[in-house]
Amino acid sequence: MSQLLAITETIAAIATAVMPQQGSVNIVRVSGSQSMSIAKALFYAPGSQLWESHRILYGHIRHPHTKELVDEALLLIMLAPRSYTREDVVEFHCHGGMMVVQQVLQLCLEQGARLAQAGEFTFRAFLSGRMDLTQAESIADLVGARSPQAAQTALAGLQGRLARPIRELRGKCLDILAEIEARIDFEEDLPRLNSKAVTSDIEHIATEVNRLLTTKDKGELLRTGLKVAIVGRPNVGKSSLLNAWSQSDRAIVTDLPGTTRDVVESQLVVGGIPVQVLDTAGIRETADTVEKIGVERSRRAASAADLVLLTVDAAAGWTEEDQDIYTQVQHRPLILVINKIDLVKTGNINLGKYPHIEPVVTTAAAQSQGIDALETAILQIVQRGKVQAADLDLAINQRQAAALTKAKIALEQLQLTIVKQLPLDFWTIDLRDAIQALGEITGDQVTESVLDRIFSRFCIGK
């Protein structure tokens, strides 16, 4: 990893999102031994303000040679080890916009700093021991959280709720390994190994590993969200359903069939789960070239969705067109949405006319009725998939799941080795594999290539 070779250099980067003419404040972050000298070269603090750690100074950023005024700003000082990276860190809090913050960053680079690589600030925090690898990944999850529940889960990881049980399990494996190796080296001086006690300990560790693995699906759901496609023939109220659900006018609604020509997207949160809702063009045979493209996109959206809301018109009942669409999407998880029930007399909906689809939700989207029932049905489907959205305080990611799976396989092999009564040397091989896998999760044992993959996904300023 190139960052390992340049860890002694002072780095700088813009730590806030920069968009043209948007945002009131932008921050340039500098970390390393030259941070304070760079700050003193660029920042003029009037009066008798103290340049001490964890103080905010008011002043102006000036060009070090021409003394030309660049910005009126604040300077935040955080000296080692009480900083994010445990190095000297300074932050220039500038006015928003692109031009000023780019000028300040350029001045920092001219004073000897290097432009930070993606995730390098957090990488330095990891190397300094301020956080472990699970906490570093939780920071990335927190930045990218798409729902309050995702943010809370990321915060739990940042507080060490995943690292603690992993380290406890790894510690128990190390204790068992020490006991076994002691018997190998000093067999004549120590009592025989209690294989029943070791077996019991291994079973307990394996159970905990399996428990942590069950949180993988929840983690994926919170990070990537649920993709839901609203499909159906034209004019059954798909766009009205999207608008009522999102409480917006994202989709055009008219009485003319075929109004929606493309996939319209809206981002929602249902029961703590990020949901990407796709309103698709009405699926039907058509000679209209543009509509035909929209219909094909609708079919692709339905095929890629995690859940399909097959929407039908309550007044029209189940039609041959509905049956054709159902045939195309029946392999996907489905909810049957019977819309426009406000146009049907009470009790006139005969579910016996419809194919056996569960669950069934009735809505009157134009009047925003039935949305709560729809969300309840979605959450029930999620729960039937054994992915609970709100009852766990941690959720592992794919990398962590892969390492836990390796640990699980090693522990299973160890249990088989014990059953076969193989020599103790064979026990240590499987134990070391489990210890290695668990260490990969927290970063206690990890390769540079893994670190590179993890931190390259971070933004530059983090």
Side-chain angles (χ1 to χ4, degrees):
M1 178 180 253
S2 59
Q3 293 168 330
L4 285 173
L5 301 177
I7 199 66
T8 59
E9 297 178 339
T10 298
I11 57 174
I14 299 172
T16 45
V18 180
M19 298 183 68
Q21 300 176 348
Q22 293 188 24
S24 59
V25 177
N26 277 322
I27 298 173
V28 175
R29 178 178 292 154
V30 184
S31 179
S33 59
Q34 293 180 270
S35 297
M36 285 296 289
S37 62
I38 291 173
K40 289 181 177 179
L42 302 180
F43 194 83
Y44 172 73
S48 57
Q49 301 179 66
L50 298 177
W51 287 67
E52 295 178 345
S53 185
H54 292 77
R55 281 187 176 270
I56 297 178
L57 308 184
Y58 160 79
H60 299 87
I61 301 171
R62 296 182 183 273
H63 193 286
H65 303 306
T66 67
K67 304 305 178 183
E68 180 183 356
L69 180 65
V70 176
D71 193 21
E72 181 181 25
L74 299 175
L75 178 71
L76 174 60
I77 301 172
M78 294 168 284
L79 299 181
R82 297 171 59 205
S83 72
Y84 183 69
T85 60
R86 283 191 174 167
E87 301 173 323
D88 288 349
V89 173
V90 298
E91 291 182 351
F92 297 93
H93 291 234
C94 316
H95 283 93
M98 294 183 63
M99 192 53 62
V100 169
V101 72
Q102 292 286 356
Q103 289 183 72
V104 174
L105 175 61
Q106 183 59 37
L107 289 175
C108 291
L109 299 181
E110 291 174 2
Q111 290 300 302
R114 168 178 61 77
L115 185 64
Q117 299 181 31
E120 190 168 1
F121 291 97
T122 304
F123 176 67
R124 291 187 175 202
F126 165 71
L127 287 184
S128 70
R130 186 183 182 278
M131 62 182 66
D132 63 38
L133 208 50
T134 66
Q135 292 171 308
E137 289 175 303
S138 294
I139 288 174
D141 290 339
L142 185 60
V143 171
R146 297 169 55 193
S147 72
Q149 178 64 28
Q152 286 299 314
T153 302
L155 281 171
L158 187 56
Q159 293 166 1
R161 293 188 188 175
L162 174 59
R164 280 194 293 272
I166 294 295
R167 285 210 165 95
E168 287 175 4
L169 295 176
R170 187 168 181 267
K172 291 177 181 177
C173 288
L174 286 168
D175 290 342
I176 295 171
L177 179 63
E179 287 285 333
I180 295 173
E181 289 186 332
R183 267 44 179 209
I184 294 174
D185 295 335
F186 308 104
E187 182 178 5
E188 297 179 356
D189 301 324
L190 294 173
R192 289 176 58 86
L193 183 70
N194 188 339
S195 59
K196 288 186 178 179
V198 171
T199 301
S200 176
D201 289 341
I202 294 299
E203 287 177 352
H204 172 72
I205 295 169
T207 299
E208 285 300 299
V209 167
N210 286 325
R211 183 186 68 82
L212 291 171
L213 274 170
T214 62
T215 70
K216 175 180 178 295
D217 288 340
K218 181 211 174 185
E220 286 300 302
L221 193 62
L222 291 177
R223 292 180 184 96
T224 64
L226 191 69
K227 184 177 290 187
V228 177
I230 306 174
V231 303
R233 59 188 177 82
N235 210 32
V236 296
K238 299 184 299 299
S239 297
S240 295
L241 183 60
L242 173 65
N243 290 343
W245 197 2
S246 62
Q247 299 181 355
S248 68
D249 293 324
R250 296 296 303 275
I252 299 173
V253 178
T254 73
D255 293 331
L256 299 174
T259 302
T260 302
R261 298 300 184 95
D262 203 351
V263 176
V264 180
E265 179 182 327
S266 188
Q267 301 290 338
L268 305 173
V269 176
V270 177
I273 302 171
V275 177
Q276 178 187 19
V277 185
L278 307 174
D279 171 29
T280 64
I283 299 177
R284 66 174 177 178
E285 296 299 324
T286 177
D288 186 301
T289 302
V290 177
E291 186 179 357
K292 187 178 294 184
I293 295 172
V295 169
E296 182 55 36
R297 289 182 178 178
S298 297
R299 292 191 174 105
R300 289 201 299 268
S303 298
D306 301 307
L307 176 64
V308 172
L309 307 183
L310 178 55
T311 308
V312 300
D313 186 335
W318 188 259
T319 67
E320 291 183 8
E321 292 85 354
D322 295 323
Q323 181 63 42
D324 289 340
I325 297 170
Y326 172 61
T327 301
Q328 297 174 44
V329 300
Q330 61 181 336
H331 63 288
R332 309 300 301 165
L334 279 176
I335 293 178
L336 177 62
V337 180
I338 304 177
N339 192 32
K340 301 185 180 181
I341 60 167
D342 52 316
L343 304 181
V344 179
K345 291 182 180 179
T346 304
N348 280 10
I349 298 177
N350 183 2
L351 294 179
K353 297 179 180 179
Y354 297 91
H356 183 67
I357 300 175
E358 290 185 353
V360 177
V361 177
T362 56
T363 61
Q367 279 70 44
S368 298
Q369 297 177 11
I371 302 302
D372 290 344
L374 177 60
E375 292 188 348
T376 298
I378 291 173
L379 291 176
Q380 287 174 346
I381 285 181
V382 170
Q383 290 167 357
R384 281 204 296 269
K386 298 182 180 179
V387 182
Q388 302 294 328
D391 64 344
L392 297 173
D393 59 359
L394 59 87
I396 60 174
N397 60 30
Q398 286 185 337
R399 183 195 72 84
Q400 295 159 357
L404 278 171
T405 300
K406 287 196 292 185
K408 174 184 176 181
I409 292 172
L411 292 170
E412 289 173 347
Q413 183 60 44
L414 174 58
Q415 290 172 313
L416 185 61
T417 299
I418 294 173
V419 169
K420 291 181 176 180
Q421 298 182 339
L422 295 177
L424 294 181
D425 300 82
F426 289 88
W427 297 28
T428 64
I429 295 173
D430 300 322
L431 261 177
R432 287 196 180 95
D433 287 344
I435 291 167
Q436 168 72 29
L438 293 172
E440 289 176 6
I441 299 173
T442 56
D444 293 309
Q445 288 181 275
V446 67
T447 63
E448 288 186 22
S449 61
V450 170
L451 291 175
D452 197 29
R453 285 202 309 272
I454 292 171
F455 288 100
S456 65
R457 301 188 184 111
F458 281 60
C459 59
I460 296 293
K462 201 63 178 176

